[in-house]
Every structure is written in C-alpha cells, then in structure tokens.
Amino acid sequence: MSEFLLEAGGVTKHFGGVAALVDGAFSLRAGEIHAIMGENGAGKSTLGKILAGVYPPDAGSITLDGELFCPANPREAQARGVAMIYQELDLFPHLSIAENMVTANLAFKENVWVKRGEMEAFAQPFVRRVGLKAPLHTLVGELSIGDQQLVAIARALSMNAQVMVMDESTSALTEHAVDNLFNVIRELKSLGVAIIYVSHKMDEIFSICDRVTILRDGVTVGSYSTLDVGMEELIQCMVGREIDTDVQSISHRLDEVILSFEDVCTSKLRDVSFHLNKGEVLGVAGLVGSGRTELGEALFGLDVIESGLMTFRGIPYHPASPVNAMEQGIGFVPEDRKTMGLMMQMSVRENGMLSGLVRGGVVQHREEADRDNVLAQRTRLKSANPHASVSCLSGGNQQKVLLGRWLSVDPEVYFLDDPTRGVDVGAKQDIYTLIDTMAAEGKSLIMVSSELPELLRCCDRILIMNSGRIVGEVDARNTGQEAIMHLATAAGDLE
C-alpha cells in the first residue's frame, strides 16, 4: 500500500491557447501540511481546482486512497472528502453567514423546510473555531474581506474533509486571526487531515508546513522538506532567477505638499490629519478595521466627509463621486480586485477600455493596441493576448491589469489598497519596481499594506492607524516592525 494519501502525476490543463499546467506532479501524506508554491501563473490554483472538481484535467492521473480520483464537479470531490477554500471567495454576499455555511454542504442534513435555528446550530461550532465574532444572521456582504475569509474557512471545516486545499487563506487576515487559523490547522493535522497549503508568504510556509512543492510555468520543479531548504533556495527555484528581497527604495520625495487632510471625519474616520508630498510614497499600516481602506474611500469620493478639510494642489478638494475624483487626478486601486476593480468576464483590453480610451463613442483601435503593448511592458504582464478573459489570468496578472488601467488614466495621486495581496514574490518585485518608477516620475502614492516589510521597503513615511485615527507616524528608513505593531495594537485587537 502506498505511503501517500493522494498522488498526482503528469497533470496538464489548457485554457484556450494558454497552458496552465504542463506536468503537475504532487504527493500528499495523511496528516501532512504540504505547501504548493510558485509565481502567479505557475499553476498552483489550477492544480488545486482540479483536485476540488472545478476543472477536469486534460491529461495525467490522480489517485486518492489508492483509487482513481477525477471528480466531475466540487460536489463529487466533497463526497470523496476533498474541500477547497478559494483565493477568490465563493460566497453569496446576500445570504447570511449560516446560510453560506450550509449551502451545497453535504455534511448538513437538509429537510424540506430548513429553519434558521438548525442552520445556526450547525454553523456555530465551526465559526467559533476560526474566531469569527459576527452574529450568524449577518449578511456576508456586510463583512470585511478578512471576516469573509473566516466564513469560507469555517465552511470548509464543516465538510469533514480528509484533504483540504487552502488557496491564499491568510491573505486578508489579521496576525491574531492567522495565529488562530494555524492552531486549527495543527488540530486538523493531529486528526489525520491532510492540508494542501497554497501561499506566497515564506514565513507561513516555514512556520506551518512539513513539505513544499514548487511549480514553475506549469511544471513541478522540486519538492523539499521545510527542514532541509532555505528561503533563498525556494525563491530561486520558483522564479528561475535571483531576487534581492532586501533592496530599499530610493526616495523621490520633494518639498512640495500635493495633498492634505485636516481633522477629516467620516462615519469611520476620526480627526484624520496628514499631508502627502509630490513624489512621495506614504505608507499606511494598521489592523484590519483600523480605517486604512476608509481613508481611500474618503479620498476617492466613496464616503461622505462629515467635517474637516481636504486640499489638493493647495485648493479645497470635495470629490462628489469617484468619477469626479478621477477627473481631478486621484486614482484608487481597491483591495478586492474581483468585486471592486475588474470586470472578470471581460478581456484584458476591455478592462483597460474602462479607463476612458473611448472618445466620442468610437474606440480608437490603433491607439488601444499601442497602449496594450506599453502597459504590458511597464507592468510585466503575462497574458497570451489582450483578448484573453481576465478571469483566466493568475491573481498577480489580474492585479497588473488593474494597475495598468490606472497607469493609462495617469492620475497625480494614487491610493493603493494592499496592492500585492495574493501576489507571488516575483510579481511583488515587479509591482515594487512600478511604484518606484511612478514616484520617480513625480507621482504621489498612498500605499496601504498588511505586510510591514513591504511598507518599510517601498515607503518614505508610514502612518499608523487605530480605531479610525492616525496614532503615529514613523520614518520608514529609521524604524522597525515592532515599533509599528506596538502603535497599531495599542488600543487592542480591533477584530
């Protein structure tokens, strides 16, 4: 009998003319936490979705418990004991937490009439295990991205799976929530559940995983014990080149103030005051719920200013709407690219057209093609062609499409809300380089991030937010993560 619970070999998958997997090979032991790593577009999520029954493989073989495993849909995979938590969450925003927990869940025994009490009784222990505090009748669409991710994790736990695929499951979680999730994963491991853990975060891989398999350009290029391999070796295996992760950006900050907030209050912000200089990259740190995103919503006309004053280029700034903010020179790259940033079923080119390339009702096709080439080069976008659907691209390349759209708008001030969320180490370096270039060109950027090392790498100054207020400001070149976290958590965990 094989020592492996699950084995996959020679797995291939094409989407049109794009090869997502060429030779995916992978093995998994019962009770093992096994990382799958690689750059965006390497095939990690595709392999996970094949195991979860979302896609059928074009070729190759997969066995589970020694038997052929080729689920035709997620329900068949779930019946065989395989569940997946998707990077792009598969939740229903207009249903409650409890309703999402039981929908298409074979572990929940449905009757002709399902009562709220029965759903909540089923959901409660799993929601409690992941540390979600919201009432079970809360609509999922009213939750933060981090809390939505906890709902998806709780739902997968409730399916009693023997194999669980976690695709970037910590991308929107607070440090406390990540610690709680890791405790749950360790508990599952002790019960013999096997975890396939897809992540770009090296510290997580070495903290929680037993082995790691690397994919590059759809091919498995190596499997290692996390006890026998180092971070630099994994990075080089992933990208096929050396990457210097310790580089700090050169400051392009000028003395000219381009934007300022003076005692600005909204429904979420309290007396926020700061200034942004021309050519500056200003970081914003804080826990989920601290007011980071709400800062951008106020700037971009998505939230009403109750009091205080914003000035832009030295004159009062009152954005009536996002379109008005854009017309005045403000750009906004949202945290959730799927629901707020991109039209997922439209092509790369069509998403770019949303920036305003259409003039007088006529599409300028030649200019459009030229624009495609320039933006692809600037963002290092990897796409088969500009007519490819954005939904077929990797998360990192989707993010590059979104950034490319704003580059074509060419605003004077950019608000970037977690611009590298769910992005691999190579694509992160591409985005960091793009940020450096924009600052050198005289653009001013406000960069929100949950990852303190990238704020320290990219920014001139960092604002720290807590409970809707700015509670501190530090020089990014003369401070450390500990000082930032102390300020960010001074009033307690906001989750």
Side-chain angles (χ1 to χ4, degrees):
M1 185 176 178
S2 173
E3 65 173 305
F4 298 111
L5 171 65
L6 184 146
E7 293 181 270
V11 179
T12 67
K13 183 63 183 177
H14 291 77
F15 297 98
V18 179
L21 274 176
V22 180
D23 183 14
F26 174 71
S27 61
L28 181 70
R29 298 183 177 95
E32 178 183 32
I33 306 172
H34 195 129
I36 303 291
M37 299 192 75
E39 290 193 274
N40 288 111
K44 309 181 300 298
S45 294
T46 300
L47 178 60
K49 288 177 180 178
I50 288 172
L51 297 176
V54 178
Y55 302 140
D58 296 335
S61 65
I62 305 172
T63 59
L64 177 64
D65 272 335
E67 299 180 359
L68 184 66
F69 178 67
C70 189
N73 53 58
R75 192 175 181 85
E76 284 190 15
Q78 187 187 153
R80 290 286 301 273
V82 178
M84 182 170 182
I85 304 163
Y86 300 91
Q87 179 180 2
E88 304 293 351
L89 301 177
D90 61 335
L91 300 174
F92 296 96
H94 300 298
L95 296 182
S96 70
I97 294 171
E99 288 167 334
N100 270 277
M101 289 283 293
V102 305
T103 299
N105 189 336
L106 297 179
F108 179 70
K109 305 302 181 184
E110 294 187 15
N111 298 312
V112 176
W113 299 103
V114 179
K115 298 179 180 179
R116 174 185 288 181
E118 293 173 347
M119 292 189 294
E120 294 188 353
F122 172 83
Q124 185 62 53
F126 303 104
V127 168
R128 187 183 301 119
R129 282 174 73 182
V130 301
L132 180 63
K133 299 175 182 178
L136 291 173
H137 62 266
T138 306
L139 297 182
V140 163
E142 296 175 356
L143 301 175
S144 68
I145 292 295
D147 280 351
Q148 289 183 26
Q149 206 141 24
L150 292 179
V151 173
I153 293 166
R155 183 172 182 272
L157 289 177
S158 73
M159 293 177 178
N160 299 319
Q162 63 173 327
V163 176
M164 192 175 296
V165 184
M166 295 185 169
D167 192 357
E168 300 290 348
S169 292
T170 65
S171 60
L173 300 185
T174 64
E175 185 176 355
H176 173 74
V178 171
D179 290 341
N180 186 66
L181 175 60
F182 282 4
N183 288 333
V184 172
I185 290 175
R186 293 186 182 103
E187 178 187 350
L188 293 172
K189 173 184 170 72
S190 71
L191 297 174
V193 176
I195 307 292
I196 300 172
Y197 193 81
V198 178
S199 178
H200 297 119
K201 299 181 180 180
M202 289 289 177
D203 57 337
E204 293 183 359
I205 300 302
F206 286 102
S207 172
I208 197 72
C209 296
D210 302 303
R211 286 193 297 152
V212 54
T213 291
I214 305 295
L215 292 173
R216 187 168 73 232
D217 297 328
V219 178
T220 297
V221 293
S223 291
Y224 309 88
S225 165
T226 52
L227 298 176
D228 301 328
V229 69
M231 182 178 72
E232 295 303 323
E233 185 178 354
L234 285 184
I235 291 175
Q236 189 164 353
C237 187
M238 284 168 55
V239 303
R241 64 186 189 277
E242 291 188 8
I243 288 182
D244 189 348
T245 57
D246 296 324
V247 172
Q248 181 141 30
S249 298
I250 298 172
S251 178
H252 301 285
R253 181 174 183 263
L254 303 177
D255 290 336
E256 179 186 351
V257 173
I258 193 72
L259 174 76
S260 68
F261 277 45
E262 297 177 21
D263 298 322
V264 171
C265 293
T266 68
S267 59
K268 299 288 181 65
L269 301 179
R270 293 290 176 266
D271 301 317
V272 169
S273 298
F274 71 92
H275 66 274
L276 175 70
N277 283 31
K278 189 175 180 63
E280 181 177 24
V281 182
L282 178 64
V284 182
L287 302 179
V288 173
S290 63
R292 305 175 311 175
T293 295
E294 289 76 10
L295 194 67
E297 291 174 348
L299 178 64
F300 200 56
L302 289 165
D303 203 356
V304 176
I305 307 300
E306 296 177 350
S307 63
L309 176 67
M310 293 187 291
T311 59
F312 183 33
R313 305 190 195 96
I315 60 176
Y317 168 66
H318 304 286
S321 66
V323 171
N324 181 240
M326 185 170 67
E327 289 172 344
Q328 295 189 62
I330 304 294
F332 181 80
V333 177
E335 176 186 25
D336 188 350
R337 59 179 171 263
K338 181 179 178 181
T339 60
M340 293 183 65
L342 296 169
M343 300 297 181
M344 299 301 292
Q345 299 309 314
M346 293 173 67
S347 70
V348 172
R349 174 170 290 178
E350 288 168 334
N351 269 276
M353 284 169 55
L354 299 177
S355 65
L357 197 61
V358 179
R359 293 194 298 269
V362 179
V363 178
Q364 309 297 316
H365 292 288
R366 177 170 295 181
E367 184 176 342
E368 195 177 13
D370 293 341
R371 191 281 316 264
D372 289 339
N373 293 331
V374 171
L375 295 183
Q377 291 173 4
R378 289 197 67 183
T379 61
R380 298 189 67 179
L381 174 66
K382 296 178 182 178
S383 174
N385 63 69
H387 303 291
S389 171
V390 166
S391 63
C392 295
L393 301 182
S394 66
N397 283 312
Q398 290 175 6
Q399 191 71 8
K400 289 178 179 180
V401 171
L402 184 55
L403 288 167
R405 179 202 296 169
W406 281 109
L407 287 175
S408 68
V409 175
D410 196 30
E412 195 167 351
V413 171
Y414 289 79
F415 187 92
L416 309 178
D417 195 352
D418 244 344
T420 66
R421 175 175 172 258
V423 170
D424 69 78
V425 64
K428 280 186 178 181
Q429 296 301 317
D430 293 340
I431 292 174
Y432 297 160
T433 299
L434 185 60
I435 290 172
D436 293 344
T437 301
M438 288 192 291
E441 293 171 348
K443 305 299 182 183
S444 304
L445 302 97
I446 300 174
M447 179 180 179
V448 172
S449 179
S450 302
E451 298 187 33
L452 297 183
E454 73 178 10
L455 290 180
L456 294 171
R457 180 247 184 260
C458 294
C459 301
D460 298 290
R461 294 179 295 137
I462 301 172
L463 305 177
I464 300 94
M465 298 197 69
N466 193 318
S467 302
R469 293 179 169 85
I470 293 177
V471 295
E473 176 188 317
V474 297
D475 185 328
R477 288 163 177 76
N478 296 299
T479 195
Q481 296 183 51
E482 296 80 6
I484 296 172
M485 283 305 301
H486 176 73
L487 289 167
T489 59
D493 192 332
L494 301 178
E495 287 290 284

